[in-house]
Amino acid sequence: MRVLLLEDEPRVARFIARGLREQSYAVDIAGDGEEALYQASINDYDLLILDVMVPVKDGFQVCREMRAQGVKQPMLMLTARDSIDDCIRGLDCGADDYICKPFDFKELLARMRALLRRAKDVRPEILRIADLTINTASHAVSRGQRDISLTAKEYSLLEFFTLKAGQLVSRAQIAEHVWDDNFDPFSNVIDVYVRRLRKKVDEGFGRPLIHTRRGEGYILRAEPGGDGV
């Protein structure tokens, strides 16, 4: 899942982004409202976290403009303002939820999971393909009777493959949803992570699940279908 975080306080932005990345989210940070609007116009995000008190255009205005432009992804307002009027204003602008600073990071994660479950492309708590099982809440992964230990980025890539099970996903799609704006499109990082996933998810099992369509991308499915290695 890729998230846009609108937050102008560098320390707070780093804290939130670090915590989200540890939970396998890819995070882009915008320091003002104009930058957030620009980032949302060129990138495909699964969720947006908007602080209200930011320069140029505040979070309310950003939310309102994004909704007017047709952005349908869930938006979570994040602010130090805790009055009922501010909460109502944020929701009236098009926000889906509202959380006040200071907050418990576990609460932020729970609110995000709830919003993502209500989103158009519903993400179920348990994902299964063949004998592979992924718990999207706890990030526990197993295949057959074997528990599989993954890094945060390996988990994020596997979850993305599983949500797109049976569909061809290109390197560009993977970069857009699993990595952030710092990703170098000319690097071989995606290939490295796919190889690492194959070693953990496929090696030692009777049938592979991760398949390559040469020159096009990857498919996660139970049957090979002649796509290649």
Side-chain angles (χ1 to χ4, degrees):
M1 296 291 171
R2 189 173 182 181
V3 175
L4 175 63
L5 171 63
L6 170 58
E7 172 59 67
D8 66 319
E9 297 184 32
R11 182 182 59 81
V12 176
R14 287 194 300 269
F15 167 76
I16 296 174
R18 182 174 65 249
L20 293 179
R21 287 165 182 155
E22 289 174 353
Q23 295 296 316
S24 304
Y25 292 95
V27 184
D28 293 334
I29 300 172
D32 63 61
E34 283 287 5
E35 184 182 358
L37 288 167
Y38 172 72
Q39 292 278 23
S41 71
I42 64 172
N43 296 312
D44 184 14
Y45 294 105
D46 299 288
L47 184 141
L48 302 99
I49 302 174
L50 308 176
D51 187 21
V52 170
M53 301 296 290
V54 294
V56 188
K57 292 183 178 181
D58 66 24
F60 295 134
Q61 189 172 356
V62 170
C63 181
R64 189 183 303 109
E65 290 190 26
M66 284 185 179
R67 291 304 190 210
Q69 293 167 7
V71 175
K72 292 181 170 41
Q73 284 79 2
M75 297 186 197
L76 174 64
M77 303 296 289
L78 182 66
T79 180
R81 294 179 172 180
D82 60 356
S83 74
I84 295 299
D85 288 343
D86 283 329
C87 178
I88 293 172
R89 183 182 174 192
L91 296 174
D92 284 345
C93 286
D96 298 278
D97 201 355
Y98 197 100
I99 188 170
C100 297
K101 300 176 182 178
F103 57 87
D104 188 304
F105 196 75
K106 291 180 181 178
E107 181 184 2
L108 175 63
L109 292 174
R111 298 281 190 98
M112 291 174 62
R113 287 194 297 268
L115 290 177
L116 289 167
R117 283 196 297 270
R118 300 206 309 258
K120 181 180 178 181
D121 296 321
V122 177
R123 183 179 67 158
E125 183 172 344
I126 302 297
L127 300 172
R128 289 190 179 91
I129 178 168
D131 54 350
L132 176 70
T133 302
I134 300 174
N135 186 310
T136 61
S138 67
H139 292 187
V141 177
S142 63
R143 185 165 183 192
Q145 301 302 311
R146 184 193 302 176
D147 292 334
I148 299 173
S149 178
L150 301 176
T151 66
K153 191 59 71 176
E154 289 169 350
Y155 171 83
S156 186
L157 178 58
L158 180 62
E159 183 187 86
F160 180 67
F161 278 158
T162 309
L163 287 168
K164 300 292 185 181
Q167 304 176 40
L168 176 70
V169 292
S170 67
R171 288 170 55 87
Q173 287 174 296
I174 294 170
E176 184 173 5
H177 286 274
V178 181
W179 273 266
D180 54 29
D181 274 349
N182 296 317
F183 179 74
D184 179 1
F186 299 104
S187 76
N188 67 340
V189 168
I190 291 175
D191 304 310
V192 170
Y193 272 92
V194 170
R195 285 197 297 269
R196 287 166 59 172
L197 268 187
R198 277 201 172 108
K199 185 172 182 179
K200 293 184 177 183
V201 173
D202 283 342
E203 197 170 279
F205 293 93
R207 55 179 175 177
L209 298 179
I210 303 172
H211 309 283
T212 301
R213 182 168 290 175
R214 299 189 186 282
E216 296 183 74
Y218 303 95
I219 303 175
L220 182 75
R221 65 185 181 197
E223 302 301 327
D227 292 308
V229 180

